[in-house]
Amino acid sequence: MRISVLGASGRTGSAVVRRAREAGHEVTAVVREQSRLDEDLHPEHVVAGRDWDATLLTRAVAGADAVAFCLGPVPGGPRTVQQDLVALTLAAMRETGTRRLAAISASGGVVDGDDPLSRYLAKPIISRLLRHAFADMAEMEARIRASDRDWTILRPPRLLDGPGRGRYRSRRDGNVRWSYSLARADLALAVLDAIADASSIGATISVAAGTPDSSAGAHR
């Protein structure tokens, strides 16, 4: 499968590129600066440019079977960076006929399905501190849902560096309970699983590490 990874030089995007290459996919890494791309990733193609406009993104997604949108908030940058870039990405996908999109959001801004500790203590504090980032993510999700592409939105909790467990838990009707983190390597696994799973089209999926429970499905 040919997968374009947007934000491939970031920690999450790098993990997606690495997992995709290990799985035998043909990867196009889309970055602002090629020099920031990890040297050990070896994607088949690199599209680089500081200005992510319609021209660059059209070139980035042309010929792809799927797009992994791995762009997060930019500290000190515009407060609408995710919603703006996803709008440009969706337009480029329509222009090139690319249908499949897996986009990474976050579970921090929503409380559906949360345990009491998260809902009443942690989330109110986090939501105030990150209100601009969460507002941007919410609008990004809204634009994706309003599109005519075959999309899946993934909502992880706090992301960790380092090796993953090679497994994760997921839930489609709310956040995974009592699980507050996920390795980026395992999020990358979830992204690739979602791309390959036609039943995830049109779904918003919470993914996290943690102890199995009756409300979350285990993977791998």
Side-chain angles (χ1 to χ4, degrees):
M1 184 182 294
R2 293 168 295 180
I3 302 176
S4 292
V5 181
L6 277 61
S9 61
R11 288 178 292 174
T12 300
S14 295
V16 173
V17 172
R18 185 170 288 107
R19 282 282 192 187
R21 292 285 291 117
E22 290 172 353
H25 298 298
E26 180 181 333
V27 176
T28 296
V30 188
V31 297
R32 293 189 183 277
E33 298 178 27
Q34 187 165 348
S35 61
R36 297 183 60 187
L37 192 66
D38 286 354
E39 293 182 356
D40 66 335
L41 292 180
H42 306 298
E44 283 79 4
H45 314 285
V46 177
V47 174
R50 294 196 62 82
D51 296 323
W52 284 32
D53 56 14
T55 300
L56 181 141
L57 287 169
T58 297
R59 183 159 55 94
V61 305
D65 298 304
V67 174
F69 188 89
C70 306
L71 297 163
V74 178
R79 292 178 177 176
T80 60
V81 62
Q82 288 177 283
Q83 59 185 282
D84 293 343
L85 286 176
V86 86
L88 287 170
T89 300
L90 290 166
M93 291 177 68
R94 285 191 294 272
E95 177 70 21
T96 59
T98 306
R99 295 210 56 84
R100 193 70 176 99
L101 172 68
I104 297 174
S105 183
S107 65
V110 294
V111 297
D112 294 343
D114 270 340
D115 54 79
L117 178 64
S118 295
R119 180 184 290 268
Y120 299 114
L121 181 61
K123 290 290 181 72
I125 297 172
I126 294 171
S127 294
R128 284 196 296 272
L129 293 174
L130 300 177
R131 61 187 181 279
H132 298 304
F134 286 161
D136 189 20
M137 286 182 191
E139 182 59 27
M140 176 193 74
E141 290 191 8
R143 294 187 179 194
I144 292 171
R145 291 192 186 93
S147 76
D148 60 354
R149 301 296 91 183
D150 296 334
W151 55 267
T152 303
I153 295 170
L154 295 107
R155 288 176 174 168
R158 182 171 63 98
L159 294 174
L160 305 177
D161 296 320
R165 300 179 180 181
R167 62 185 185 275
Y168 61 93
R169 306 197 63 75
S170 70
R171 185 176 178 183
R172 297 194 184 194
D173 59 346
N175 290 331
V176 177
R177 282 190 158 207
W178 307 110
S179 186
Y180 311 119
S181 64
L182 181 67
R184 296 178 196 275
D186 293 333
L187 173 57
L189 179 61
V191 169
L192 295 178
D193 285 348
I195 287 173
D197 181 7
S199 73
S200 74
I201 292 174
T204 300
I205 304 174
S206 172
V207 290
T211 303
D213 60 41
S214 60
S215 63
H219 301 266
R220 306 293 171 99

